[in-house]
């Protein structure tokens, strides 16, 4: 073999270029990735930023509370605060700031937010101190003992003049102011059928009167109570069913209230009144005669019984022109639902207040003499 032949053999046994290209296309084996120190540093930095943000935000909130102007102590002196119905914590706070009770509206609003009982705050007048810590002012507003009010109880059967005196004595409202309010009945909310006449429409009940209440406000509350009761007993519709006006029923109810002693007998007294009216008889109710004389109790002389007042039911037939007192709900019900019976007379027959009811005049006279002898009448 020549040298040239040997060279040809050597070239023939070398790996070709195409073989090297095929090795480049072989798929590389997967390698396991590893976190380096730089990645861990990034994670720790992010956690640090998160914690720092939470701390910063919380410190800002705490700082806003701690920087809210507030008085440090319990306060001193005395001041009356009126809380109106529907006032929010912010509105109450403004009222307290203006009165010098708390230092800032925000301090009171924060205290109210922190105390769930603040939702039970009641409207009314309260006695507080000046320069109080907001949370302590809230505690006083939540204490019923801090509320300032006058309580007036009106029993059934009082005439208007008697009622005004009792209101004045119980509330401190001047009697002259109450009398002036009576002279302006349009401001009191009377029902239309009253035609501006207030007698009988100051409903007997117990009333809480705020210190700042005017005479008109106090009287209007009592008329409003009457309206509520009148609606409850369906005064207007039931009066119509009896063939009477609501005002006539009010007059009858006032007579029943003044004449009755045992409440369960009130419907019988109402029946006697209606029976007498139906027959055209004089009612002969002494309480009405007394009212016409400007009195509310005591004996009647022969001269008294002959005085020609509009309320003298001894000499006049029919109902007196107005109620003679304020009837309660029981008397109203009796006037609207009188008992069934043909009685024309009644007279007190025992110390418990029970009456004898009869249509026999002689039986009436006999019991009357016996009751006089026993000192009942």
């Amino acid at each position: 073999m020549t040298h040239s032949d040997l060279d040809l053999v050597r070239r023939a046994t070398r790996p070709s270029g195409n073989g090297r290209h095929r090795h480049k296309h072989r798929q590389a084996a997967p390698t396991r990735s590893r976190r380096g120190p730089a990645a861990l540093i990034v994670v720790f930095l992010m956690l640090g930023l998160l914690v720092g943000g939470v701390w910063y935000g919380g410190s800002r909130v705490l700082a806003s509370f701690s920087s809210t102007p507030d008085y440090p102590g319990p306060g001193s002196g005395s001041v009356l605060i009126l809380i109106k119905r529907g006032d929010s914590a912010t509105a109450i706070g403004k009222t307290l700031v203006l009165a010098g009770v708390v230092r800032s509206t925000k301090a009171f609003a924060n205290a109210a937010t922190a105390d769930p009982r603040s939702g039970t705050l009641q409207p009314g007048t309260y006695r507080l101190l000046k320069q109080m810590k907001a949370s302590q002012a809230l505690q006083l507003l939540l204490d019923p003992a801090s509320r300032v009010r006058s309580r007036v109880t009106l029993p059934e059967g009082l005439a208007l003049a008697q009622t005004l005196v009792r209101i004045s004595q119980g509330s401190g409202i001047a009697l002259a102011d109450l009398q002036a309010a009576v002279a302006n009945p349009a401001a009191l909310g009377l029902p239309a059928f009253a035609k501006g006449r207030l007698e009988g429409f100051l409903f007997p009940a117990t009333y809480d009167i705020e210190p700042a209440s005017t005479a008109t406000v106090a009287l209007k509350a009592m008329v409003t109570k009457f309206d509520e009761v009148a609606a409850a007993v369906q005064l207007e519709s039931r009066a119509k069913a009896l063939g009477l006006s609501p005002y006539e029923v009010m007059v009858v109810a006032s007579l029943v209230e003044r004449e009755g002693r045992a409440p369960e007998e009130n419907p019988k007294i109402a029946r006697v009144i209606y029976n007498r009216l139906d027959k055209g008889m004089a009612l002969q109710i002494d309480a009405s005669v007394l009212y016409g004389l400007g009195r509310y109790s005591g004996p009647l002389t022969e001269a008294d019984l002959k005085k020609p007042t509009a309320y003298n039911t001894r000499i006049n037939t029919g109902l007196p022109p107005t109620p003679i007192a304020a009837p309660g709900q029981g008397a109203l019900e009796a006037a609207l639902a009188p008992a069934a019976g043909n009685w024309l007379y009644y007279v007190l027959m025992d110390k418990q207040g029970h009456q004898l009811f009869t249509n026999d005049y002689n039986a009436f006279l006999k019991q009357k003499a016996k009751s006089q002898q026993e000192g009942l009448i």
Side-chain angles (χ1 to χ4, degrees):
M1 180 178 296
T2 64
H3 286 287
S4 61
D5 291 332
L6 181 61
D7 289 337
L8 288 174
V9 171
R10 287 174 178 168
R11 285 195 297 267
T13 59
R14 287 177 184 170
S16 68
N18 289 336
R20 286 194 302 269
H21 185 70
R22 280 194 302 269
H23 287 307
K24 287 182 181 180
H25 280 278
R26 289 178 183 173
Q27 189 171 3
T31 60
R32 180 178 296 175
S33 64
R34 292 180 295 177
R35 295 180 187 268
L40 292 175
I41 292 173
V42 171
V43 171
F44 282 119
L45 282 175
M46 291 179 66
L47 287 173
L49 288 173
L50 179 61
V51 172
V54 171
W55 174 86
Y56 177 74
S59 64
R60 288 293 299 272
V61 172
L62 292 174
S64 69
F65 275 92
S66 62
S67 64
T68 300
D70 198 1
Y71 291 121
S76 61
S78 178
V79 61
L80 293 181
I81 299 297
L82 175 63
I83 305 300
K84 298 177 182 177
R85 188 174 300 278
D87 275 358
S88 64
T90 299
I92 295 173
K94 289 179 180 178
T95 300
L96 296 177
V97 169
L98 290 175
V101 176
V102 300
R103 193 172 179 185
S104 68
T105 300
K106 187 176 181 181
F108 183 80
N110 287 345
T113 300
D115 193 330
R117 295 178 302 156
S118 62
T120 65
L121 281 173
Q122 297 296 311
T125 301
Y126 296 83
R127 189 179 302 281
L128 275 69
L129 309 178
K130 289 195 171 185
Q131 297 188 359
M132 300 186 70
K133 188 174 181 63
S135 59
Q136 294 172 342
L138 177 63
Q139 297 310 307
L140 278 185
L141 289 176
L142 290 168
D143 184 357
S146 301
R147 189 169 178 185
V148 180
R149 52 188 170 180
S150 301
R151 179 157 286 186
V152 176
T153 298
L154 302 179
E156 293 86 350
L158 290 184
L160 177 59
Q162 295 173 298
T163 301
L164 297 182
V165 170
R166 189 173 286 253
I167 295 170
S168 179
Q169 292 173 342
S171 68
I173 299 174
L175 180 59
D177 291 343
L178 291 164
Q179 291 167 338
V182 171
N184 183 25
L188 302 180
L190 283 166
F193 65 78
K195 297 182 179 178
R197 297 166 291 191
L198 187 59
E199 183 70 82
F201 289 88
L202 299 181
F203 193 78
T206 296
Y207 298 92
D208 289 328
I209 300 178
E210 301 294 336
S213 294
T214 64
T216 297
V217 168
L219 296 182
K220 188 172 182 179
M222 297 165 190
V223 173
T224 299
K225 181 64 176 177
F226 166 80
D227 289 337
E228 293 173 359
V229 175
V233 302
Q234 301 176 355
L235 174 60
E236 296 194 46
S237 61
R238 291 172 69 186
K240 185 177 181 180
L242 289 173
L244 300 171
S245 70
Y247 196 77
E248 288 173 324
V249 170
M250 283 292 296
V251 175
V252 172
S254 74
L255 298 174
V256 170
E257 190 68 74
R258 294 289 286 123
E259 287 289 285
R261 303 290 184 87
E264 67 273 13
E265 292 184 349
N266 283 348
K268 289 185 177 182
I269 295 175
R271 173 51 63 195
V272 171
I273 292 172
Y274 289 133
N275 287 345
R276 283 182 164 250
L277 289 173
D278 290 342
K279 291 182 176 295
M281 298 172 62
L283 295 180
Q284 298 188 358
I285 292 178
D286 289 348
S288 182
V289 177
L290 284 166
Y291 181 89
L293 298 172
R295 292 157 49 193
Y296 310 108
S297 62
L300 289 166
T301 66
E302 288 297 322
D304 291 334
L305 295 175
K306 293 178 181 178
K307 285 187 179 178
T309 72
Y311 294 86
N312 191 337
T313 54
R314 290 292 189 105
I315 60 179
N316 301 321
T317 57
L319 291 171
T322 70
I324 64 170
Q329 186 167 346
L332 278 171
E333 283 284 0
L336 289 167
N342 60 354
W343 314 293
L344 293 172
Y345 312 97
Y346 58 85
V347 61
L348 189 65
M349 65 178 185
D350 62 34
K351 292 181 180 180
Q352 288 71 45
H354 298 106
Q355 314 261 8
L356 170 71
F357 292 87
T358 180
N359 65 342
D360 184 333
Y361 185 59
N362 289 327
F364 163 74
L365 290 178
K366 182 178 179 180
Q367 181 60 54
K368 182 179 179 180
K370 183 175 182 293
S371 296
Q372 287 174 332
Q373 186 178 11
E374 295 173 354
L376 296 175
I377 58 176

